[in-house]
Amino acid sequence: MKYMTEFRDGRIAEKISAALAVESKNNVRIMEFCGGHTISLLKYGIPDLLPESIEMVSGPGCPVCVTSKAEIDAAIELAWRPDVMLASFGDMIRVPGTKGSLRQAKAEGADVRIVYSPDDAVRLAKENREKKVVFFAVGFETTAPVTASSVKLAESLNLDNYFLLSAHKTTPAILAALLAEEINLDGFVCPGHVTAITGTEMYGILTDAGKPCVVSGFEPLDILSSILSIVRQINRGAAETEIEYSRIVAPEGNLHARRIMEDVFRPADAVWRGLGVVPASGFKPSGDYRRFNACEEFGIEIDMDEKETKGCICDSILRGLKKPPDCKLFKTACTPEDPVGACMVSDEGTCSVYYRFHRAQRVEPEIVPA
Amino acid sequence: MSRRKFVTLAHGGGGKASSDLIEDIFMPEFSNELLESLSDGAVFNAPPGGRLAFSTDTFVIDPVFFPGGDIGSLAVHGTVNDLAVSGSVPKYLSAGFVLEEGFSLKELKKIARSMGEAARECGVSIVTGDTKVVARGGADKIFINTSGIGFMPDGVEISPKRVKKGDMIILSGSIGEHGIAILTLRKGLEFDTELVSDSRPLHELVKTMLEAETGIRMMRDPTRGGLAAALNEIAASSGNGIIIEEKAIPIKDSVRGVCEILGLDVLNVANEGKLVAFVPPESADKVLSAMREHPAGREASIIGSVGGTEPGRVEMKTEFIGSRIVEPLVGDQLPRIC
């Protein structure tokens, strides 16, 4: 299929793999920040194509996973209010908070609606004027502009019954937090879709710290060639931001989307599941748009004291310090059906991706006949 | 046909309205000698060999009518296919209906007609049935249960226990069409595709296959949970590993496209007219060519073999040159697809 098979050509992969085998000299640890990259890595078996000197480490870039239990508890609390209809993306509803998930609440009778876009939530508000519709907004800068534009849509329709419970997270703040931890990483495969909005400026803190950054697409060849670019930067002692995903990403990002986002939201401290409070790492509707903030409308405070479940090592996994098979709960007490920790809750979570695609043994790839 | 246009609670009451419903709607479409006797049970002779296959399935699909079929044809094909992949010749079906008060009689008639047509196409008779009506909101429109009996030919034994290392795995055609066709109809996900469900009977394909090789070891129709679930179940119950090749699996471009956009793994998507067969290696080519002669197996392909690195594990060589494990679907990808 056009524009897909081109990026999945095994023969090109074999050439990049061969180049990596020759060019990768020292042991390096490279973080793929984004959950979408983790999926592609394991779904296509990319680790089999890397020399043993390259270790790939998954980062905290799964928005569903890092939504805190307290944020989910708040969503459930709102969904039980008789005057509220809570709208959520489908993958959020099975994520457990401290007292069950939105799916459980829905089964027990709370008014939880699944939407595919925040604009669908605005439509619910328009069609159900007697209810207060709260959209449970999650995601990084990829989804935040769409949420922001739904607020503008609600404003243009003069709706006074549309609100946001914003659990949005921001990428620059978490990159800074990761860097402050002095974790042992030599380079970053940076998130393609987030960067398409934000632009590449935010990677300055990483390159200033000597970490090469390559903004990558999500096809297996994108990721493989981004890894090669990072290795080449390391070899020549460089630390720059490169855009491999140039078919989508411009250095300045998407100015229109940024403007909408900056217009509606202001940064706010946010609590990350597994990581705790990260200063200025969230988005709250502010200024002219403050009245859309569900926390203010309903007088809700998000508990910032996030405690991880005993035995769960998600905090170390999200920081790239440990891998899912290191966890005693992985595939035993903690499964995608019944997740214990943050990284198992979403399809993009590191533990969930490992659960579905990761094989214990390394297998030498078969050479594709020319 | 009754002047009432909608199903009422009286239709399930066992009185006049109930018998009107049977006489007006079901009998004309299902008519056969055993059913027309209107006794409480159908009585028939067992095959000379004495072995029977027995299977049941319940259908709650939403929407009731979809491109490529409706709940009626699906309810017949579903049980016929379960009987067929057990190695039997499907013979008799029962049909149980749960109707919601207010369901349109015209639509019920249409569903009964499509069940009757599907049954005739499959060479099975609907020989016994039951109808219940629940108050509005107690069910959604219509649910159908079908159970079926098939006659087992001598010498045929289909069981995961017979699967052996080295067996070849044959898939009868492209995957994911039923699940994606239903998904694209759901509210809020309106995709414009030409996709239709692959719902179709497989009994004739199976007959052709067993004529080519009586010793086929195992067959399954990968419905809910898709190919991944079917292969994992067989790997687990046979105690063997399975290795498949991604590029050997036929997938239509439109299915591939929707799966890409929605981030679905096509291996988890439901089928209603496909089967996967485990065949001794020496007869794989013979079975494959027999399948390709049949319209339901035109695109049949050998997708892998029994072996791999770990008992009970399904692995896949990716279109890329790596490999990964194939896990069954976790959670509900899409409710009420069959």
Side-chain angles (χ1 to χ4, degrees), chain A residues 137-301:
Chain A
V138 300
F140 292 100
E141 290 85 345
T142 346
T143 43
V146 194
T147 308
S149 103
S150 80
V151 168
K152 294 203 164 209
L153 175 65
E155 190 189 40
S156 72
L157 294 170
N158 290 318
L159 295 177
D160 57 4
N161 63 332
Y162 180 67
F163 303 94
L164 294 183
L165 177 63
S166 170
H168 280 299
K169 304 280 187 285
T170 69
T171 312
I174 196 66
L175 289 176
L178 274 177
L179 203 60
E181 300 238 350
E182 292 182 20
I183 46 179
N184 177 23
L185 292 169
D186 302 289
F188 287 83
V189 174
C190 298
H193 293 146
V194 165
T195 317
I197 306 292
T198 60
T200 54
E201 196 188 336
M202 64 177 174
Y203 301 119
I205 52 164
L206 297 177
T207 50
D208 288 350
K211 317 284 185 195
C213 289
V214 179
V215 179
S216 176
F218 295 84
E219 294 297 330
L221 280 182
D222 286 322
I223 298 176
L224 209 49
S225 58
S226 297
I227 294 170
L228 181 62
S229 299
I230 291 171
V231 166
R232 285 180 173 168
Q233 283 199 43
I234 293 170
N235 285 349
R236 63 173 200 273
E240 299 154 1
T241 302
E242 285 177 51
I243 301 175
E244 182 278 334
Y245 200 26
S246 55
R247 61 190 188 277
I248 299 286
V249 177
E252 70 281 9
N254 180 330
L255 293 174
H256 179 64
R258 282 171 66 176
R259 225 173 356 252
I260 294 175
M261 196 162 66
E262 283 157 15
D263 207 16
V264 173
F265 292 127
R266 292 285 175 279
D269 292 355
V271 55
W272 295 54
R273 193 175 199 139
L275 297 172
V277 177
V278 179
S281 66
F283 279 137
K284 293 282 173 284
S286 304
D288 293 347
Y289 299 97
R290 199 172 145 181
R291 69 179 172 90
F292 291 96
N293 188 346
C295 289
E296 300 213 1
E297 170 71 18
F298 299 99
I300 287 180
E301 287 250 353

